[in-house]
Amino acid sequence: MNLFERYLTLWVALCIVAGVALGHWLPGPFQAIGRLEVAQVNLPVAVLVWLMIIPMLLKIDFGALHQVKEHWRGIGVTLFINWAVKPFSMALLGWIFVSHLFKPWLPADQIESYIAGLILLAAAPCTAMVFVWSNLTNGEPHFTLSQVAVNDLIMVVAFAPIVGLLLGLSAITVPWDTLLLSVVLYIVVPVIVAQIWRKALLGSGGLAVTLARLGPVSLVSLLATLVLLFGFQGEQIIRQPMVIAMLAVPITIQVYFNSGLAYWLNKKLGVAHCVAGPSALIGASNFFELAVAAAISLFGFQSGAALATVVGVLIEVPVMLSVVKIVNSSKGWYERSSS
């Protein structure tokens, strides 16, 4: 691990501070960048995501995808956490914290809207950043790609019914343009580009060298994404920090709870650590682009639901990086107790 990777937590903290400060002092440029979006998918962020995940997708050999069936227990655990646990645990945490513990300090007319935003955030698993988390835990790349693909297929049919059930709504407006565009931008395009590039690199014998050179590019892109995300919301963070901090509590607990439960279940089932790591991370991550778009379409841009989903965007990277650290540091314990 080089110096840059060793102090990644410090760089993340500095990027958060820099993003908030720049977003506050230079709102114009960040607002201009924030407007460069299609169907609530920010295009500059999408480019940074490509720079993050294409190096990881270069490692995937499509000829070896059939081996994923060996990891059926890991896939089962992740699906159970994503669809049978995460939305419902978030609804419970929202009820505990937003409706009760924090209620005296939150705007009374936004309580239900905040909870709705939290549920929208938890109702769909992440599709792109999980490749980054998986790579940082030395996760099995074929498992990660297969798991993301399965989740995307389930999301098409399960997102609206789960959200409708938990919110008590008879009809849910699914932002299909955001969902489909995100899948195309974050999965289909990078996979195609990576496989074409991989074939060329294998022909020239330069795959290993290219992967080594692209490592820093992925991490720098991750940090740049962090600056942008916090810069987009710099004014809002400074204007209502206590509301954002209170909404962050159930989201953070939910991430640790679901990742911990997935990790523990994988251990009990004897799943290899290279699968258990990404399984736990996919189980805890959120598809915040879809959540934000759904919140805006259902409740409006200025709603508490939209703000709650934005909080999910802000804590996604730092909290997930802490989960990565826990997964990596516990590998010895995991493998001893699984043997």
Side-chain angles (χ1 to χ4, degrees):
M1 184 179 293
N2 59 40
L3 183 68
F4 182 70
E5 294 172 336
R6 187 176 300 120
Y7 293 101
L8 184 59
T9 302
L10 173 61
W11 311 138
V12 167
L14 291 174
C15 286
I16 291 174
V17 173
V20 173
L22 291 171
H24 175 64
W25 292 330
L26 301 170
F30 279 92
Q31 290 172 7
I33 296 173
R35 287 193 291 268
L36 297 174
E37 61 179 29
V38 176
Q40 302 297 322
V41 177
N42 185 267
L43 299 181
V45 171
V47 172
L48 289 172
V49 170
W50 289 347
L51 293 174
M52 279 186 273
I53 69 176
I54 285 177
M56 296 141 204
L57 294 172
L58 281 173
K59 300 177 182 178
I60 295 175
D61 176 10
F62 268 59
L65 274 177
H66 67 279
Q67 298 174 5
V68 172
K69 64 179 181 290
E70 301 171 6
H71 306 307
W72 63 270
R73 288 170 297 180
I75 290 177
V77 167
T78 315
L79 292 177
F80 171 70
I81 297 297
N82 277 153
W83 301 106
V85 176
K86 187 154 72 82
F88 304 95
S89 65
M90 181 61 97
L92 176 61
L93 288 168
W95 178 77
I96 292 171
F97 286 96
V98 178
S99 291
H100 291 81
L101 295 181
F102 296 154
K103 185 177 181 179
W105 300 282
L106 291 169
D109 61 337
Q110 293 288 353
I111 296 295
E112 292 186 2
S113 186
Y114 289 144
I115 295 176
L118 295 176
I119 291 171
L120 286 167
L121 190 65
C126 185
T127 61
M129 294 294 286
V130 290
F131 290 106
V132 180
W133 315 140
S134 176
N135 185 67
L136 291 174
T137 60
N138 293 316
E140 217 289 322
H142 299 90
F143 165 81
T144 304
L145 178 60
S146 300
Q147 183 69 74
V148 168
V150 171
N151 273 336
D152 285 344
L153 291 174
I154 294 175
M155 196 169 2
V156 171
V157 297
F159 178 76
I162 288 176
V163 170
L165 172 66
L166 291 173
L167 297 185
L169 300 177
S170 58
I172 294 294
T173 303
V174 177
W176 292 108
D177 52 350
T178 301
L179 175 57
L180 297 176
L181 180 62
S182 295
V183 171
V184 170
L185 282 180
Y186 295 146
I187 307 299
V188 177
V189 172
V191 165
I192 292 174
V193 171
Q195 287 304 299
I196 293 174
W197 195 4
R198 175 185 169 88
K199 184 175 181 180
L201 290 171
L202 287 173
S204 63
L207 180 61
V209 174
T210 300
L211 287 174
R213 290 176 176 172
L214 289 177
V217 174
S218 293
L219 290 179
V220 170
S221 300
L222 175 63
L223 296 177
T225 301
L226 203 54
V227 172
L228 280 184
L229 294 179
F230 276 83
F232 293 157
Q233 303 300 328
E235 280 297 320
Q236 191 148 246
I237 294 170
I238 292 173
R239 188 168 61 248
Q240 43 187 342
M242 289 306 298
V243 172
I244 288 174
M246 284 185 280
L247 292 175
V249 171
I251 299 173
T252 303
I253 293 174
Q254 182 244 14
V255 170
Y256 288 125
F257 170 73
N258 287 296
S259 59
L261 179 58
Y263 199 50
W264 179 79
L265 288 174
N266 277 296
K267 181 177 78 70
K268 287 297 181 182
L269 293 173
V271 176
H273 187 266
C274 64
V275 170
S279 172
L281 292 157
I282 296 170
S285 61
N286 302 306
F287 188 174
F288 54 75
E289 294 93 348
L290 179 61
V292 171
I296 292 172
S297 66
L298 289 170
F299 302 98
F301 187 79
Q302 299 296 331
S303 66
L307 178 62
T309 58
V310 166
V311 176
V313 176
L314 296 177
I315 72 168
E316 171 86 3
V317 175
V319 174
M320 292 303 291
L321 282 173
S322 71
V323 176
V324 166
K325 187 174 182 64
I326 293 170
V327 168
N328 287 338
S329 62
S330 65
K331 182 179 180 181
W333 164 82
Y334 183 97
E335 293 182 337
R336 281 195 304 272
S337 43
S338 297
S339 58

